[in-house]
Amino acid sequence: MVKSALISRHIVSYKSRHPLYGIILIENEEISDVIIVDDNIPASALFSKFREWNPINYENYYISPGIIEIGVRPEWETYVNITKMAASGGVTLLLEEKSIHTEITNPIDELYCDIGLIKRIDSNNLEDIKKLKKSSAFAFKGYLYPPSNKVASLPNDLPWLLSKVRDTGKPLIIDPSIPQGRMLHMASPCRHMNLEERIAADITKDMEFSAAAFPESIYPDEEGSPNEEPVRWNLNRTRSGIPTFSSSRNSSKIAEPLRISNKFDLNNHMPDIEEEDTMRSRGRTIMRDIKKRRQSSYHDIYEDLDYRIKVIESDIQAISKAEITTYQTAGSTVYSKQLPRRRSSSFSDFSFREFLQAVPQEEAAQPAPPMSSIQKRLKGKRPMPLNTHMEVTIQKDRIYLNHVANIPDKWELKGVKKILEVLQAESCKVHICNLSSAAAVNKIRQNKSTNESTVTCDTCPHYMSFSDKDIQDGDTRFKDYPPIRNQANCNLLWELLKLKGIDIISSHHASIPSEYKNLDNGSFRKALSGINGLGFSMQIVWTALSSVNANDSLKEHYIVRLAKWFSMHPAKLLGIESKRGSIERGKYADLIIWNPYQSISCHTYSAMKESCIYEGRELMGQVIKVLVRGMEVFDNGNFQAYGEYLKQNTIIKDF
């Protein structure tokens, strides 16, 4: 019987908004007790009282529950590397989803954290549906659209599938994106190719325009009867005092083509000075009125959030920016003074004498009208010659804005709506994963508040820590599906996280070699999707939260909430909260000992570190030690292989 104890003034407990001072007693693999003491009691007193437990003083460090990662794809990475990456970042339980690109079978040898299985369900393995209850998986997962040429999507009969999964008592994790084929082809034309074909493919011939500029439906989000009376544009006031716009657009009608006149009327184009002053005055009056109304009744944060997300849904900023980049290769027209002036070649064979002979005498006798002064000055002169040339050449498939413009967040929203609609008729424990769209997350939040839904969702740290403006052209390390979106969407994800709209944060890590990430060429269209970021999720989120202008009390509260996003909520989703996810008596001693206020330079243990988006980045939060079931698997860069690959029989026995 092995006994140990950890003393800390910062034990993360869900019983308090802030970490507490106490001692954790560990016997074998489990927590024997958590004793909370008064802040005035010195650590030496705890050493004396619990001497037989061999206490270790981590008085100035924080102790949080171990992280539970859901949906990691090792792909080309070995279990040794993938579990080292996980353990170094505080992960104690990692749920593995089998590869969607390769058929590599990794040997289970040295593991540095516990691993469980996520069983993938698709339309090709429905004959095994009766075996789901006996499966060794912690959860099941499916895609509404095939993620690769090796994986099929979920069957169309979702209610039947949900009823079968419900009988197992396990959750179904669903990736909700439902793309439109043409636009997806523009973003990733090699998506369903074999890996060898993908590398050799020539995809440069169809990059003349962005498919996102030509959607299937003009107004895909607006549903209604063709007989509905259109509503005129008007400025309304919500309870929060924020103006909203109601649309006169009718989804049943096709928009007329834009008519562009070849004539340019300068008088109609530019307002006169009096009209311009009137327009400015009206603009100032409207903005002053909006500001007053916001200040007078700005109290419903959820309504405000809904409004701003609606604005993001109709935003065409990404498409507009992508369109601008297409003009960068158009070249420029310059006037060249070096080239000699010359007469047009069309006059080279012209004979003025022959022309006069051909003109009737009565017409030739008429005198020519007098020339104006301008005509006299311009007589004999010709325009300066033009020299048109290409100044720059840009590989368009390297431009990230072109890539993200072809993957709108409507695809995620469409899938979320479909799932929520099915769940109204057939209940099941469903988790919607890997969301980058704030609108899709907000749809789930609204459904929870109105229907008391049990649907949960997650997002990834890279969707919140990066935006499209942070990604350099050709940096295909950042290619993911769905993609990293604009800054406004990023900001809304943070607000949804703080307002409990997001339940879980998970890396959704995928190890992709540099040759399949196409790092040399930088083509987003050929590169495989997937982010290499396992082991830094907690630090990424904490770095952002600790950098805001918040007092110490709020920052301490955020540390408690970190544990909920990374530990407690994943444990509840998987139904293992009786043994994992928190620091309580009778649970496994899965613990992270760390210093959240110490900066670190990220170093990944991945064999594909060149594709890691966090490599070399400065973050807050140094992980000192990690315990898996009471055993140290990570200690300041040193590893011990105490992890296990968990099977269903051990789950039933222990949980």
Side-chain angles (χ1 to χ4, degrees):
M1 183 179 297
V2 179
K3 290 184 177 181
S4 62
L6 308 176
I7 299 172
S8 173
R9 291 186 177 272
H10 311 284
I11 299 174
V12 174
S13 171
Y14 306 136
K15 298 177 181 178
S16 171
R17 284 177 53 87
H18 309 99
L20 302 173
Y21 178 30
I23 182 170
I24 304 172
L25 306 180
I26 303 173
E27 188 171 353
N28 295 329
E29 297 182 341
E30 297 182 354
I31 297 174
S32 177
D33 204 355
V34 181
I35 301 171
I36 304 301
V37 300
D38 191 87
D39 290 343
N40 298 324
I41 297 177
S44 57
L46 295 178
F47 268 94
S48 300
K49 184 176 179 61
F50 299 97
R51 186 179 296 108
E52 69 277 9
W53 288 85
N54 303 311
I56 304 174
N57 188 4
Y58 293 111
E59 190 175 0
N60 297 320
Y61 294 104
Y62 288 68
I63 302 181
S64 299
I67 295 172
I68 300 175
E69 273 278 5
I70 58 175
V72 171
R73 297 201 326 263
E75 297 289 353
W76 284 267
E77 200 87 63
T78 64
Y79 283 130
V80 171
N81 288 338
I82 207 78
T83 54
K84 276 188 175 181
M85 295 166 64
S88 66
V91 177
T92 54
L93 174 60
L94 180 152
L95 293 192
E96 173 201 14
E97 176 190 356
K98 295 300 183 181
S99 172
I100 64 173
H101 297 298
T102 70
E103 297 178 357
I104 298 175
T105 302
N106 289 325
I108 302 175
D109 39 23
E110 294 182 349
L111 301 178
Y112 299 94
C113 69
D114 287 345
I115 295 183
L117 176 66
I118 291 182
K119 174 69 174 178
R120 191 161 51 231
I121 303 175
D122 57 49
S123 55
N124 293 332
N125 62 1
L126 293 182
E127 64 275 5
D128 298 331
I129 201 75
K130 297 180 180 179
K131 302 177 183 178
L132 289 180
K133 199 166 186 178
K134 299 179 181 179
S135 172
S136 61
F138 279 72
F140 305 108
K141 183 174 182 178
Y143 296 82
L144 293 186
Y145 188 85
S148 72
N149 63 342
K150 296 182 181 297
V151 179
S153 62
L154 288 172
N156 292 328
D157 192 355
L158 279 181
W160 173 82
L161 177 64
L162 293 181
S163 66
K164 296 299 181 181
V165 174
R166 183 189 60 227
D167 294 341
T168 69
K170 299 176 185 178
L172 175 61
I173 301 173
I174 302 178
D175 189 300
S177 290
I178 304 178
Q180 194 275 323
R182 181 184 66 239
M183 295 172 67
L184 184 62
H185 174 79
M186 291 299 298
S188 187
C190 307
R191 185 180 179 89
H192 295 296
M193 293 183 182
N194 294 326
L195 296 175
E196 295 76 14
E197 296 174 347
R198 192 182 192 105
I199 293 178
D202 180 12
I203 44 89
T204 59
K205 297 180 180 179
D206 56 350
M207 282 294 293
E208 295 302 319
F209 48 82
S210 170
F214 309 99
E216 269 189 316
S217 173
I218 302 298
Y219 309 119
D221 262 1
E222 295 185 9
E223 301 175 359
S225 169
N227 299 322
E228 287 181 350
E229 191 69 25
V231 184
R232 302 298 173 191
W233 285 103
N234 56 73
L235 187 64
N236 295 328
R237 176 189 174 190
T238 64
R239 286 192 298 147
S240 62
I242 297 177
T244 60
F245 293 91
S246 57
S247 174
S248 62
R249 301 177 300 188
N250 193 323
S251 60
S252 63
K253 297 180 180 180
I254 299 177
E256 295 182 358
L258 182 63
R259 302 183 184 275
I260 303 176
S261 174
N262 292 327
K263 297 181 179 180
F264 183 78
D265 189 345
L266 186 63
N267 293 327
N268 292 335
H269 181 72
M270 298 293 291
D272 56 32
I273 297 176
E274 183 178 352
E275 181 184 359
E276 188 173 350
D277 289 341
T278 304
M279 292 167 62
R280 289 177 179 173
S281 177
R282 288 184 59 195
R284 286 193 293 267
T285 302
I286 292 174
M287 293 307 298
R288 186 165 54 248
D289 183 49
I290 291 175
K291 185 175 181 180
K292 286 181 180 179
R293 287 186 292 178
R294 281 183 172 180
Q295 293 173 346
S296 64
S297 58
Y298 196 88
H299 64 275
D300 193 332
I301 57 176
Y302 292 105
E303 192 170 330
D304 170 39
L305 186 68
D306 293 343
Y307 164 74
R308 287 185 290 122
I309 288 176
K310 191 66 178 176
V311 172
I312 290 295
E313 287 185 60
S314 60
D315 187 14
I316 60 169
Q317 183 181 26
I319 301 176
S320 301
K321 289 181 179 178
E323 179 69 14
I324 290 173
T325 62
T326 63
Y327 294 99
Q328 295 179 6
T329 59
S332 62
T333 301
V334 298
Y335 292 97
S336 175
K337 295 183 179 180
Q338 284 74 25
L339 298 177
R341 295 189 178 97
R342 58 184 177 84
R343 297 180 64 87
S344 172
S345 60
S346 61
F347 291 93
S348 58
D349 298 329
F350 179 76
S351 172
F352 190 71
R353 184 180 299 274
E354 294 177 0
F355 173 75
L356 289 178
Q357 292 176 354
V359 176
Q361 294 297 323
E362 60 273 12
E363 293 184 15
Q366 296 179 1
M371 299 178 64
S372 66
S373 59
I374 296 179
Q375 288 175 324
K376 290 178 180 180
R377 288 198 302 270
L378 296 179
K379 183 180 180 181
K381 296 183 178 180
R382 296 190 61 79
M384 189 174 293
L386 302 180
N387 180 19
T388 304
H389 65 281
M390 187 78 72
E391 291 184 336
V392 291
T393 301
I394 296 179
Q395 184 182 337
K396 294 180 181 180
D397 55 350
R398 289 173 53 89
I399 302 173
Y400 184 74
L401 287 175
N402 279 343
H403 169 70
V404 74
N406 283 304
I407 310 179
D409 63 350
K410 303 285 196 251
W411 297 354
E412 297 176 66
L413 188 60
K414 181 179 179 180
V416 166
K417 289 179 178 178
K418 179 178 180 179
I419 295 168
L420 296 179
E421 181 181 353
V422 172
L423 286 172
Q424 291 180 357
E426 191 67 53
S427 63
C428 180
K429 191 175 184 180
V430 170
H431 176 79
I432 302 175
C433 72
N434 198 28
L435 290 173
S436 72
S437 165
V441 174
N442 193 53
K443 187 67 179 178
I444 298 171
R445 182 197 64 78
Q446 292 172 332
N447 188 72
K448 288 180 183 177
S449 61
T450 57
N451 300 329
E452 297 183 355
S453 172
T454 59
V455 178
T456 55
C457 68
D458 71 59
T459 190
C460 306
H462 50 271
Y463 294 140
M464 299 188 294
S465 57
F466 297 100
S467 68
D468 56 4
K469 68 179 183 180
D470 300 316
I471 302 174
Q472 299 296 319
D473 291 344
D475 195 351
T476 53
R477 296 177 304 162
F478 289 90
K479 182 180 178 181
D480 199 15
Y481 184 82
I484 296 170
R485 304 192 184 277
N486 60 28
Q487 187 62 51
N489 183 82
C490 178
N491 295 339
L492 288 169
L493 285 176
W494 281 110
E495 293 194 38
L496 285 162
L497 180 69
K498 295 176 182 179
L499 295 175
K500 302 181 180 180
I502 297 172
D503 303 282
I504 296 171
I505 302 175
S506 180
S507 70
H508 286 281
H509 167 92
S511 296
I512 310 295
S514 58
E515 58 267 28
Y516 297 122
K517 266 297 183 181
N518 207 21
L519 296 181
D520 294 337
N521 180 265
S523 171
F524 283 99
R525 305 183 77 211
K526 291 182 68 174
L528 286 179
S529 296
I531 295 293
N532 183 343
L534 181 61
F536 303 109
S537 297
M538 181 179 68
Q539 291 94 325
I540 284 289
V541 177
W542 168 244
T543 299
L545 292 174
S546 62
S547 64
V548 299
N549 188 19
N551 55 43
D552 292 341
S553 176
L554 183 57
K555 289 181 180 179
E556 294 287 291
H557 175 57
Y558 282 151
I559 291 178
V560 176
R561 294 196 68 182
L562 278 175
K564 292 183 178 181
W565 296 323
F566 287 102
S567 304
M568 185 181 79
H569 293 163
K572 286 186 176 180
L573 170 67
L574 302 172
I576 58 174
E577 67 271 23
S578 63
K579 277 295 181 180
R580 298 182 189 262
S582 61
I583 304 176
E584 294 179 283
R585 178 190 298 176
K587 296 190 177 184
Y588 284 141
D590 291 348
L591 305 172
I592 310 169
I593 302 169
W594 66 303
N595 182 356
Y597 299 102
Q598 176 65 48
S599 64
I600 62 168
S601 179
C602 294
H603 169 68
T604 181
Y605 291 92
S606 171
M608 304 158 200
K609 62 177 60 181
E610 67 278 359
S611 65
C612 179
I613 62 174
Y614 304 121
E615 181 71 17
R617 187 177 180 183
E618 293 290 326
L619 298 177
M620 296 297 295
Q622 181 184 18
V623 176
I624 308 299
K625 289 187 178 182
V626 177
L627 278 64
V628 173
R629 290 175 281 105
M631 296 172 286
E632 291 184 4
V633 295
F634 178 81
D635 182 3
N636 285 303
N638 299 313
F639 295 91
Q640 294 290 331
Y642 293 124
E644 295 180 359
Y645 202 108
L646 303 178
K647 301 294 183 180
Q648 176 65 16
N649 54 357
T650 61
I651 298 173
I652 295 174
K653 180 180 67 177
D654 293 336
F655 301 161

